[in-house]
Amino acid sequence: MRAVRLHDYQKPPTVEDVPEPTLSSPLDVIVKIGGAGVCRTDLHIIEGQWAEAMGPQLPCTLGHENAGWVQEVGEAVTNVKVGDTVILHPQPSCGLCLACRAGRDMQCSDAVFPGVSNHDGGMAEYLRTTARGCVRLNPDTNPADVAALADAGITAYHAVRQAVPLLHPGTVAVIQGAGGLGHIGIQAVAALTAAKIIVVDRNPEALKLAEKLGADATVPAGDDHVEAVRELTGGRGGDVVFDFVAEHGAENDAFAMTAPAGSQYVIGYGGELRIPTLDLVAGGKQVVGNIVGTYNDLVELMALVESGRVTLHTKKYPLDAAAEALDDLAHDRVRGRAILVP
């Protein structure tokens, strides 16, 4: 089969022929990929940022946002059958450790992370996952239309879901970054809360999209966007600030835009958050990290998608154009999410 393979860090991956995956346990599922999302994390993987944390053995196949059709199942699989349309939780979990028992999939002590850890991902024609990673979809769903929700979607949704108790009527949610994750976050805040939504982004097209998706106000990122947000909120800032950028100083801007007793949710990464402890204590603020989401988050998100309350804006590429898709993403030429279609 064809697959997008990373051989060396700091060098672009190549598309080449590799053997198809096979079942290795009774709970395995082989999925024929219908769409694989191209994520900024893939750029960070290529740069080597995840090498120490995840230790993948190179060469490896990229791709952690995947959807498709069940091709083959192990003898113990009962929740899906051959032919089912599925979206895949990005980190199949064991189901037995304490984190799994508590529903915290991303903290599973025995998980794999296809496309990130030492397990081939879904930028290929087929992927091996497990029964615990499969969420069944309406059979009419086109996997290429929803694949990126497997990571970008639940990452944004998980952050918003955690913050729902803080966003009662009369509060303000600030969303920094209206790109691949942020445009989903806007819709999730609009669907789950009655908060006023202010969106900050440097790209005028992203701000236009934000207005269509439910933003009450938009602010161009620049030299004075922190002050502009304060002006829109009577000098306070956002009760919750969702930072989908979190690099190049944006992470510190997000804290500055957070109201007293407010919360900064950090979803993007790559920067370094520097906060004087006096500002943290005197402001009564909290900073919350966010890593992907739970299986239940993905089920809830897909319910919103199938009801039409959340939509994913995509740009599709054939699998052989993976290098072009990655370059477009790196240079901010993609509105929404890039999707590879085998």
Side-chain angles (χ1 to χ4, degrees), residues 175-255:
I175 294 177
Q176 180 167 249
L181 277 76
H183 89 283
I184 302 167
I186 295 166
Q187 296 173 81
V189 173
L192 299 181
T193 81
K196 178 180 179 180
I197 301 172
I198 299 174
V199 177
V200 179
D201 198 286
R202 65 185 179 183
N203 191 300
E205 293 302 314
L207 294 179
K208 289 179 183 177
L209 178 60
E211 291 173 352
K212 294 178 181 178
L213 297 178
D216 297 294
T218 59
V219 175
D223 295 334
D224 59 354
H225 62 270
V226 172
E227 185 58 35
V229 169
R230 287 177 175 159
E231 289 179 4
L232 287 170
T233 56
R236 294 186 67 253
D239 297 283
V240 176
V241 176
F242 298 99
D243 186 5
F244 291 99
V245 182
E247 59 182 349
H248 306 306
E251 62 277 17
N252 297 300
D253 290 342
F255 186 80

Side-chain angles (χ1 to χ4, degrees), residues 38-209:
V38 181
C39 179
R40 194 159 294 277
T41 291
D42 294 311
L43 299 179
H44 294 321
I45 291 169
I46 294 167
E47 292 166 356
Q49 289 192 31
W50 286 87
E52 184 175 346
M54 288 297 192
Q57 181 178 344
L58 301 184
C60 65
T61 301
L62 298 174
H64 55 278
E65 298 180 332
N66 305 302
W69 304 274
V70 175
Q71 178 79 8
E72 189 177 357
V73 298
E75 59 186 16
V77 176
T78 59
N79 61 320
V80 293
K81 64 182 185 303
V82 173
D84 282 349
T85 306
V86 292
I87 188 169
L88 307 180
H89 190 281
Q91 182 171 281
S93 51
C94 73
L96 299 173
C97 68
L98 290 177
C100 283
R101 301 285 189 180
R104 294 186 287 108
D105 304 74
M106 294 308 299
Q107 283 75 50
C108 172
S109 60
D110 192 30
V112 296
F113 205 149
V116 182
S117 67
N118 198 28
H119 187 106
D120 284 337
M123 290 186 185
E125 295 178 66
Y126 297 94
L127 168 70
R128 183 178 71 240
T129 184
T130 72
R132 282 182 59 84
C134 297
V135 175
R136 243 185 341 181
L137 302 176
N138 185 309
D140 296 331
T141 302
N142 180 357
D145 290 339
V146 299
L149 295 172
D151 178 29
I154 59 169
T155 298
Y157 181 81
H158 180 66
V160 173
R161 189 75 166 80
Q162 291 184 89
V164 165
L166 306 175
L167 292 173
H168 49 80
T171 57
V172 175
V174 175
I175 294 177
Q176 180 167 249
L181 277 76
H183 89 283
I184 302 167
I186 295 166
Q187 296 173 81
V189 173
L192 299 181
T193 81
K196 178 180 179 180
I197 301 172
I198 299 174
V199 177
V200 179
D201 198 286
R202 65 185 179 183
N203 191 300
E205 293 302 314
L207 294 179
K208 289 179 183 177
L209 178 60

